[in-house]
Amino acid sequence: MEQGGISILVVSGALERLQMAAMVASVGAVSGNAVTVFLSMNALPYFLKGSVAAAPPEGPFGELMAGKNVPAFRTLFEQAVELGDAKLHPCSMAMDVLGIAQDTLLPHLGAPLGLTKFLHDARHTQVWSF
Amino acid sequence: MSERKVIDARGSFCPGPLMELIGWIKLAAVGDELELLSTDKGSASDVPEWVNKVGHEFLGASEKAGVWHILIRKTK
């Protein structure tokens, strides 16, 4: 049922963007697409082991989400890996800048990825950025 | 012997009901029927779309008192 590839670049730490990125990753992955998620900049700290920090809303929709039974973005990313063909990678540059080691990141995150490799792998796929 | 599993995803928003259904499909046997209960209107169109795309069998959907009952059969 392989449909194609989806490449998702996430740099925002805002709730709405993390949520939509997680929705595209999970639904894309369970629909037969090979999904690669590249986590960088403000998005990466949410994927540290033990991180329970709530992402701040950037607008009224995000504020509204807090009171609703919306699936958590961390859960959706994990389901993208467990139920579909998704791979989550931390950005190697962001890890260096933030001083993050691989073993401090959640176990379903893959090896650090550089931008050159991400762009090369993404060249024939749909590319989404959040 | 095929079974029917009812998955109660009422109150969950997109894509919660779909992800919950997929989790249960993985555990089901080929031939089993699964009935998804959802209050998320989008699921009524999104779930059949997904089922057709991945090749399971869509048996029907109906709405009762604001709850969608979406019935599928695992085929592979």
Side-chain angles (χ1 to χ4, degrees):
Chain A
M1 70 172 189
E2 190 68 27
Q3 304 290 321
I6 296 177
S7 304
I8 305 172
L9 171 67
V10 196
V11 297
S12 174
L15 177 60
E16 292 92 328
R17 291 175 190 275
L18 287 162
Q19 186 73 26
M20 199 70 223
M23 289 168 72
V24 172
S26 56
V27 176
V30 298
S31 300
N33 300 285
V35 174
T36 301
V37 183
F38 186 63
L39 299 163
S40 189
M41 299 191 178
N42 296 321
L44 189 56
Y46 292 101
F47 298 89
L48 285 165
K49 274 181 196 163
S51 167
V52 289
E58 70 174 6
F61 194 94
E63 286 164 21
L64 202 58
M65 279 170 57
K68 308 272 186 186
N69 188 16
V70 173
F73 69 84
R74 287 186 184 86
T75 305
L76 288 174
F77 276 123
E78 198 171 339
Q79 286 174 330
V81 174
E82 281 178 3
L83 303 176
D85 185 14
K87 292 181 174 59
L88 271 56
H89 294 281
C91 162
S92 52
M93 176 280 289
M95 288 177 71
D96 287 346
V97 172
L98 294 164
I100 290 175
Q102 174 83 42
D103 62 359
T104 63
L105 289 164
L106 290 170
H108 55 276
L109 263 66
L113 197 62
L115 189 56
T116 308
K117 171 96 168 101
F118 174 73
L119 288 175
H120 181 76
D121 292 350
R123 69 196 183 287
H124 299 309
T125 69
Q126 296 182 52
V127 180
W128 299 86
S129 69
F130 296 91
Chain B
M1 182 74 187
S2 297
E3 294 180 6
R4 181 185 288 192
K5 165 82 188 165
V6 177
I7 302 151
D8 189 352
R10 288 175 295 177
S12 179
F13 287 85
C14 171
L18 175 64
M19 301 308 286
E20 210 161 317
L21 172 68
I22 292 167
W24 282 104
I25 284 178
K26 297 242 172 195
L27 300 173
V30 171
D32 283 358
E33 290 180 9
L34 296 97
E35 182 178 1
L36 176 68
L37 308 186
S38 172
T39 46
D40 176 55
K41 260 188 216 162
S43 297
S45 53
D46 245 19
V47 170
E49 174 79 22
W50 177 83
V51 169
N52 289 329
K53 185 166 183 162
V54 301
H56 295 299
E57 189 179 351
F58 173 62
L59 301 173
S62 59
E63 193 239 314
K64 285 176 211 149
V67 179
W68 283 94
H69 296 250
I70 302 164
L71 198 59
I72 76 152
R73 181 180 291 119
K74 176 168 172 162
T75 57
K76 56 183 185 175

